Amino acid sequence: MLLHQTYPADAGSVARIRHAVVEAARRAGVETSRLDAVALAVSEAATNAVVHAYDHDRRGAISVEVSRPDGALQVQIVDDGVGMRPPRCDRGGLGLGLSLIASATDSVDIRHGLDGTGTRLIMRFAPTEREPDAVVSA
Amino acid sequence: MLEEPHLALELDPHEHGMVVRARGAIDLVSSPQLRDMLLSPEAQAAIVVLDLTAVEFIDSSGLHVILERHEHARAADVRFAVAIRGSARSVQRMFEVSGVTALLELVDTPQGLVGDRSAAR
């Protein structure tokens, strides 16, 4: 595990999470050309967790895990909120964020807790530069 | 990227329109600041150009604000463009992969639309 940290689920955490993951990836030797994609995917994932995962009256936490299995970079953004919801026009849609994550990563997997709460977004970035082959599964 | 500043915005009135100059990062925490500026009375003109050439990072939170301003401009029958030449590669790629290049008027620099000279304030 390269990084395992927990942040409050508020807007200010998005930039902190983005910076922490990019720095961990850089230290782990991830190609500089890939760091932009890592920054975008992580920013979108953290934004989804902040905006969609928690009710207005409940502030939760976002857990961030970064590892390097098999030479790939794996970033997991975990929340214990109410789960992803359909796009809400007042807060920005989920659709664009998820499609950007798909375009920036080599694969993305979304897992929900058994009771319907909590979301684990698992993003993988392949070790070498190649065309993204994104797979989105719910 | 690590020392990413918060978003800095300034208005720069030109001969033929208004330039809204942005510098830094546009994300969930700073996009409301961009929205407030773009919709403020002081930023309104017949031609408005959002200059992103000094922006290092933007995500979908920022794109939503830009699309909202685009819709306002259409409704008000004014011209709204976004200048992205020289911005970070990730910013330019963001516009391409999100598909908004087909919706927005993108220009290399603001000068072509609003003139070279800053207007007297």
Side-chain angles (χ1 to χ4, degrees):
Chain A
M1 187 81 76
L2 299 170
L3 177 75
H4 190 179
Q5 277 185 305
T6 302
Y7 299 81
D10 58 40
S13 291
V14 173
R16 285 193 285 276
I17 292 170
R18 187 168 69 239
H19 294 164
V21 172
V22 168
E23 179 57 21
R26 190 196 308 274
R27 281 200 308 269
V30 170
E31 300 87 340
T32 306
S33 60
R34 301 229 68 189
L35 295 180
D36 285 344
V38 172
L40 177 60
V42 168
S43 199
E44 297 295 342
T47 296
N48 277 342
V50 171
V51 174
H52 298 278
Y54 294 96
D55 289 328
H56 291 297
D57 58 348
R58 190 171 82 84
R59 278 294 133 199
I62 301 171
S63 176
V64 179
E65 302 169 26
V66 181
S67 56
R68 262 209 117 166
D70 307 321
L73 180 75
Q74 180 167 287
V75 182
Q76 302 191 55
I77 307 285
V78 186
D79 68 69
D80 58 354
V82 296
M84 290 185 175
R85 294 167 166 176
R88 286 188 281 175
C89 58
D90 60 329
R91 303 289 295 275
L94 194 59
L96 179 57
L98 273 183
S99 66
L100 286 169
I101 291 172
S103 74
T105 59
D106 289 279
S107 74
V108 57
D109 190 18
I110 302 170
R111 296 177 189 168
H112 298 289
L114 291 176
D115 58 355
T117 64
T119 301
R120 177 178 292 267
L121 199 72
I122 306 168
M123 301 178 287
R124 286 173 71 97
F125 303 85
T128 54
E129 187 80 64
R130 62 184 179 83
E131 283 298 306
D133 181 23
V135 176
V136 178
S137 59
Chain B
M1 188 181 296
L2 294 175
E3 298 302 320
E4 208 170 79
H6 291 286
L7 181 63
L9 299 169
E10 64 177 21
L11 293 180
D12 188 3
H14 276 62
E15 292 170 275
H16 307 301
M18 179 65 72
V19 178
V20 181
R21 231 179 276 290
R23 188 176 71 250
I26 305 174
D27 61 7
L28 185 64
V29 77
S30 60
S31 55
Q33 182 186 339
L34 176 63
R35 183 179 186 278
D36 288 347
M37 177 63 99
L38 285 174
L39 298 180
S40 71
E42 295 84 358
Q44 307 312 309
I47 303 173
V48 176
V49 182
L50 173 62
D51 186 353
L52 297 182
T53 55
V55 166
E56 297 157 10
F57 180 85
I58 184 171
D59 67 13
S60 64
S61 305
L63 276 191
H64 281 292
V65 170
I66 291 171
L67 290 172
E68 181 184 358
R69 181 64 184 89
H70 167 74
E71 288 302 320
H72 275 261
R74 277 176 43 140
D77 200 23
V78 298
R79 197 164 173 187
F80 174 68
V82 182
I84 60 171
R85 189 176 74 175
S87 60
R89 189 172 53 92
S90 62
V91 173
Q92 303 191 30
R93 184 166 182 273
M94 172 74 176
F95 276 84
E96 291 164 10
V97 299
S98 63
V100 299
T101 52
L103 295 172
L104 298 171
E105 180 177 3
L106 297 178
V107 295
D108 283 348
T109 64
Q111 283 73 23
L113 287 184
V114 297
D116 290 332
R117 286 187 293 114
S118 289
R121 304 204 183 203

